[in-house]
Amino acid sequence: MSATPKTLIRGARILGGEPQDVLIDGETIAEVGPGLTAPEGATVVEADGKVLLPGLVDLHTHLREPGREDSETVLTGTRSAAAGGYTAVHAMANTFPVADTAGVVEQVWRLGREHGYCDVQPVGAVTVGLEGRKLAELGAMADSAAGVRVFSDDGKCVDDAVIMRRALEYVKAFDGVVAQHAQEPRLTEGAQMNEGVVSGELGLTGWPAVAEESIIARDVLLAAHVGSRVHICHLSTAGSVEIVRWAKSKGWDVTAEVTPHHLLLTDELVRTYNPVYKVNPPLRTEADVMALREALADGTIDCVATDHAPHPHEDKDCEWGAAAMGMIGLETALSVVQHAMVDTGLLDWAGVADRMSFRPAVIGRMSGHGRPVSAGEPANLTLVDPAYRGEVNPAGFASRSRNTPYEGLELPGQVFATFLRGKATVMDGKLS
Ligand SMILES: [Zn+2]
């Protein structure tokens, strides 16, 4: 009989505070304090002042399995997540087949458990086949082994107001949430980039901010009307921030996320015609980026979600108009957030833990994640070296895809270690 594995992390700055030691016993944090003694046989990790965070939680990941294993699988996607410091990801429903039944969500959930790199919490489709016409089996997915709580037709907007109302009413029965991809379809027909000065100069069909904002306005009103909760995916405009701020001031149960790329990149990059910058919702203006950063700092935007969207080379290595929309993001999210939010003084590390772990876990109702770093809690942890500086090199990514907009960019911070229930999925910056 072998003893339960023990790990002592020595000298870690928990949430950026004073250095302390953390003892992990089996799947649990056993003790936190200064000067802990390593038990016999324990693995000792010298943190040397690195920052210890609760394992990151992503509300918005595309793992592509089943159906598009040429771009990502549950295995490669969860390895990518672990490398990025994540211990839980929500897998979006726009797979082939669509995750609109208990059978498909259970399959995805089980694959995550079997691989053991990162918990996979499947998102259920709101409507059958993401077609926007008929509600999917929300109750059956909620009752399944996967215990689905987040429902989304992401990639598509639930644009029919009656369907949206019914979904919001339905999920109340099991404390679920509808995560809306806010994009008014008629206002974005053929849209290729943000509608503004740059789209005018380039002659590309624009994607107006109002296409996002009008859906958000409608949905916060609908959520308030039926007394349900709604989550807004990937906010990208200053106007969207204003609507969410207003809804929250009313006391309505509205939450919102922002992607790392919308905190950093602008539509000026489209001038390169490099399809790596083509994404849905599109990159917006500098003023939008600043409004999103401010809203994440003041809590109007609850969390950072990657919208990790892998695509094979051939779907991105083509002309702008034909290219697929989306960027990968799991392995760069924390670095981009450190660069845009921490190094600018907008958030401290406790704020990062809140926006990238605590709050997304609450929104997704994941009870085992987003917990404090203290004795008795599950040992889901991320040890980060904020002093690290290096160029992003996609060749080293664990993701099966390479469509990152940050190639060659110098970004701060590196995930040194990730622990999923006490087991190191990453150590010394390398996947185990
Ligand atoms: Zn989306």
Side-chain angles (χ1 to χ4, degrees):
M1 218 176 94
S2 63
T4 44
K6 294 185 173 70
T7 305
L8 181 70
I9 306 173
R10 204 178 262 154
R13 294 166 53 216
I14 300 172
L15 273 50
E18 289 302 309
Q20 298 204 67
D21 301 344
V22 175
L23 178 64
I24 300 170
D25 187 352
E27 300 189 348
T28 311
I29 299 171
E31 215 180 333
V32 176
L36 299 185
T37 316
E40 211 185 308
T43 306
V44 177
V45 178
E46 297 292 349
D48 282 327
K50 294 182 182 69
V51 172
L52 189 63
L53 302 173
L56 307 183
V57 177
D58 194 12
L59 272 178
H60 196 141
T61 310
H62 296 277
L63 291 179
R64 305 298 192 212
E65 186 177 359
R68 284 307 301 266
E69 290 84 354
D70 56 331
S71 53
E72 198 79 286
T73 64
V74 174
L75 178 61
T76 60
T78 53
R79 282 169 62 87
S80 177
Y86 287 87
T87 54
V89 297
H90 286 73
M92 276 300 172
N94 61 340
T95 48
F96 304 94
V98 170
D100 57 3
T101 62
V104 178
V105 294
E106 281 186 352
Q107 180 198 352
V108 172
W109 175 79
R110 261 199 205 99
L111 282 171
R113 280 279 164 161
E114 280 166 23
H115 298 317
Y117 282 96
C118 178
D119 284 349
V120 175
Q121 185 56 44
V123 172
V126 175
T127 66
V128 174
L130 307 178
E131 284 173 353
R133 287 196 274 275
K134 188 166 164 278
L135 278 191
E137 302 164 6
L138 310 187
M141 288 188 273
D143 291 342
S144 74
V148 176
R149 290 294 175 273
V150 182
F151 296 88
S152 183
D153 276 1
D154 183 63
K156 289 184 177 173
C157 180
V158 181
D159 64 314
D160 184 309
V162 174
I163 298 279
M164 187 62 181
R165 177 188 178 158
R166 284 199 197 118
L168 287 166
E169 284 170 337
Y170 198 155
V171 298
K172 282 168 71 177
F174 38 82
D175 195 26
V177 64
V178 180
Q180 176 68 293
H181 170 115
Q183 179 188 353
E184 212 292 318
R186 293 274 290 139
L187 287 171
T188 51
E189 275 172 21
Q192 291 290 323
M193 65 170 296
N194 178 49
E195 180 179 301
V197 176
V198 182
S199 69
E201 286 178 27
L202 299 180
L204 290 172
T205 307
W207 186 312
V210 67
E212 174 172 314
E213 293 156 6
S214 57
I215 294 290
I216 297 176
R218 183 201 74 178
D219 287 352
V220 299
L221 290 165
L222 275 176
H225 182 63
V226 305
S228 188
R229 63 187 182 112
V230 69
H231 177 76
I232 312 297
C233 297
H234 41 52
L235 244 67
S236 73
T237 77
S240 297
V241 166
E242 284 310 305
I243 297 163
V244 170
R245 191 172 278 139
W246 170 74
K248 287 192 168 189
S249 77
K250 295 279 194 182
W252 299 342
D253 209 346
V254 174
T255 55
E257 69 189 33
V258 63
T259 70
H261 46 272
H262 288 110
L263 291 171
L264 187 62
L265 310 177
T266 72
D267 64 353
E268 289 291 332
L269 290 163
V270 181
R271 293 183 190 279
T272 65
Y273 288 105
N274 184 343
V276 81
Y277 301 118
K278 189 173 176 183
V279 65
N280 177 354
L283 300 177
R284 304 285 188 180
T285 68
E286 185 72 16
D288 293 307
V289 167
M290 291 305 150
L292 292 165
R293 288 185 184 186
E294 203 178 297
L296 183 65
D298 73 19
T300 302
I301 295 177
D302 298 81
C303 61
V304 175
T306 65
D307 195 5
H308 177 83
H311 289 294
H313 189 63
E314 59 271 24
D315 290 356
K316 277 294 197 181
D317 188 34
C318 51
E319 62 176 282
W320 181 274
M325 297 187 193
M327 306 167 164
I328 55 171
L330 287 167
E331 289 167 76
T332 47
L334 192 55
S335 290
V336 173
V337 169
Q338 183 185 337
H339 177 64
M341 301 299 294
V342 180
D343 293 355
T344 53
L346 287 165
L347 271 188
D348 57 15
W349 287 106
V352 172
D354 186 67
R355 309 300 196 275
M356 297 186 79
S357 180
F358 298 148
R359 291 220 222 176
V362 169
I363 293 165
R365 298 294 191 255
M366 295 199 81
S367 55
H369 290 273
R371 303 292 308 161
V373 181
S374 49
E377 297 289 352
N380 296 317
L381 299 165
T382 299
L383 188 61
V384 188
D385 179 7
Y388 175 90
R389 296 286 181 282
E391 277 185 12
V392 176
N393 177 14
F397 283 168
S399 171
R400 180 161 284 180
S401 290
R402 293 288 175 267
N403 53 306
T404 173
Y406 309 115
E407 181 171 5
L409 198 70
E410 188 180 289
L411 286 175
Q414 186 189 40
V415 172
F416 180 81
T418 308
F419 295 89
L420 177 63
R421 283 182 291 279
K423 190 190 132 208
T425 54
V426 173
M427 187 52 72
D428 287 325
K430 291 176 198 70
L431 284 158
S432 14

